[in-house]
Amino acid sequence: MARGPNGWQRHAQAVRSRRFTPLRRAVKIPVWGDLGLRLTAALLLVSIVVLIHWFDRDGLIDHHDGHVSFLDVVYFTMISITTTGFGDIAPISDKARLVEAVIVTPIRFAVLFIFIGAAYTFVIKRGWEKWRMARIQEQLHDHIVVLGYGVSGSEAVAELIARGTDPDCIVVMDTDPERLAAAEDVGCNVIEADASRDEHLMAVRIDKARTVLVSAGRDDSSILIVLTVQHLAPNVPISVVIRAADNELLAHQAGADNVINPVRFTGLLLAGSAQGAHIADYLADLASISGKVQLIERPVLPEEIGKSIDELTSGGRGLRVYRGGEPYGFWELQARSLQAGDTIVEIMPTDVSECDAAG
């Protein structure tokens, strides 16, 4: 649906206020909350050991003054749990030694694991994830960025992979962890973030991308994302899914190179089926890699310059030539003599790869 200027500003403020949340956080609570839980658990275990030692203080001996006070119990507990063991206070009775071996020792291990786990989570693991993300970012170049992994986004990724695109060259950004887990399962790079935020798009090196596919699920969100991408990467082609016909012009004005309306495409298939039993089938065949033929867009080859679109060296059926942003059909005069810089749209059998078609 179309929005006025004030509506767009309110929506932009609401969307941009969302926090960035890293993918696969170890604990579903804030960092300091997780640390607080770990410290609380450790203090609880230490308190249990203090109480055990206090009630069994008769089995302990203090070589300093012969009297075991509560402070001595706390002191002995801490050096015992940390395995320091100065020897000034020690268990002497069989009961006290049994308590140390059976009860205190397992608690000692539990406390150590809590702090080791905290060190792993807050230092080692985070450092490793930061280094790994930096390595992935360094390798991102000529990649495909998919902003939104809903029905349309996931189908687009599946079709890209079926057409031979390496999943390592695809980056999926979404705010839903379950969708990202599904994208990760097929081998894509994933990041849980808000695609309308500049810093999040910069994290996936949007300016180095081959193309950007936008499918946010809502027209207003998709158009806002297109505006942000256009601002950061003005030379990167953008394709966006728009469901309302009156928003298609807004998407183009926002900077989208291709606007796909699934409702309109469905209508084309329905209308085609009314004109013939096989027209809709052929249209679906052209759109998918699973059919016998596919549409391919490529630049004109040097050896094709000066030739007609009917004489392509790839062996494909030329349909349209794009020259200076203008389309020309195969029956038009401009398509009878290909020029350097032209872009060709042709039909090729699916068993011929796009790379083969491009020479």
Side-chain angles (χ1 to χ4, degrees):
M1 69 217 125
R3 289 176 178 263
N6 293 334
W8 277 109
Q9 291 174 359
R10 289 194 298 269
H11 179 70
Q13 293 172 357
V15 172
R16 293 180 186 276
S17 65
R18 301 172 186 164
R19 280 187 71 247
F20 166 76
T21 304
L23 181 64
R24 292 184 305 279
R25 184 181 295 275
V27 181
K28 302 298 183 180
I29 57 175
V31 174
W32 292 111
D34 184 25
L35 182 60
L37 287 177
R38 294 175 186 270
L39 289 175
T40 300
L43 291 175
L44 179 61
L45 292 175
V46 171
S47 300
I48 292 175
V49 177
V50 169
L51 291 176
I52 292 174
H53 284 157
W54 174 250
F55 288 115
D56 192 42
R57 60 187 180 278
D58 293 337
L60 303 177
I61 184 173
D62 187 346
H63 295 292
H64 175 65
D65 57 9
H67 175 67
V68 179
S69 65
F70 183 74
L71 181 60
D72 292 331
V73 168
V74 174
Y75 165 73
F76 174 68
T77 297
M78 297 308 297
I79 64 173
S80 175
I81 284 182
T82 57
T83 67
T84 305
F86 295 114
D88 48 350
I89 301 178
I92 56 174
S93 69
D94 292 341
K95 179 182 177 182
R97 291 176 177 175
L98 182 63
V99 167
E100 287 293 322
V102 177
I103 299 178
V104 177
T105 297
I107 292 178
R108 179 186 300 124
F109 284 126
V111 172
L112 290 177
F113 282 139
I114 287 175
F115 285 106
I116 291 174
Y120 170 74
T121 299
F122 296 107
V123 181
I124 301 175
K125 184 179 179 181
R126 293 182 184 278
W128 166 257
E129 290 179 346
K130 184 177 180 180
W131 177 84
R132 185 169 178 267
M133 174 166 281
R135 290 286 297 170
I136 293 175
Q137 288 174 332
E138 290 175 1
Q139 298 171 0
L140 288 179
H141 179 74
D142 196 33
H143 53 295
I144 299 174
V145 179
V146 180
L147 304 177
Y149 199 71
V151 175
S152 299
S154 59
E155 288 293 332
V157 169
E159 184 68 20
L160 284 170
I161 295 174
R163 289 174 180 262
T165 302
D166 188 347
D168 287 341
C169 296
I170 302 175
V171 179
V172 175
M173 181 182 294
D174 204 299
T175 56
D176 189 334
E178 293 184 2
R179 292 180 178 178
L180 292 175
E184 192 176 22
D185 287 341
V186 299
C188 299
N189 301 297
V190 297
I191 180 171
E192 183 179 345
D194 178 3
S196 67
R197 300 291 298 273
D198 289 6
E199 60 268 31
H200 301 167
L201 293 176
M202 292 170 63
V204 298
R205 301 188 70 178
I206 198 74
D207 58 322
K208 302 295 183 181
R210 182 196 317 169
T211 188
V212 176
L213 310 181
V214 181
S215 179
R218 290 170 52 100
D219 286 359
D220 49 3
S221 299
S222 294
I223 293 174
L224 178 60
I225 292 171
V226 170
L227 283 168
T228 309
V229 173
Q230 174 66 18
H231 164 68
L232 296 174
N235 298 321
V236 176
I238 305 172
S239 298
V240 61
V241 174
I242 295 295
R243 291 171 170 78
D246 55 348
N247 285 332
E248 293 182 26
L249 178 59
L250 290 175
H252 279 296
Q253 291 176 340
D257 298 275
N258 298 297
V259 177
I260 295 99
N261 190 324
V263 177
R264 176 173 295 180
F265 184 72
T266 302
L268 292 175
L269 292 178
L270 287 173
S273 65
Q275 298 296 321
H278 305 295
I279 293 179
D281 178 65
Y282 193 74
L283 288 174
D285 193 345
L286 287 175
S288 174
I289 191 65
S290 60
K292 292 184 177 182
V293 294
Q294 61 175 312
L295 283 174
I296 290 178
E297 178 180 322
R298 63 173 178 86
V300 65
L301 301 177
E303 58 269 26
E304 295 171 335
I305 295 176
K307 294 183 179 180
S308 170
I309 196 174
D310 297 324
E311 302 174 308
L312 300 179
T313 58
S314 63
R317 299 277 185 174
L319 299 179
R320 181 173 287 184
V321 176
Y322 285 87
R323 181 177 301 155
E326 294 295 326
Y328 300 102
F330 60 87
W331 65 90
E332 296 184 77
L333 181 63
Q334 290 84 350
R336 296 180 183 177
S337 180
L338 299 175
Q339 299 179 8
D342 285 351
T343 298
I344 298 172
V345 176
E346 63 178 334
I347 295 179
M348 292 286 293
T350 54
D351 56 357
V352 178
S353 68
E354 185 174 350
C355 292
D356 294 338

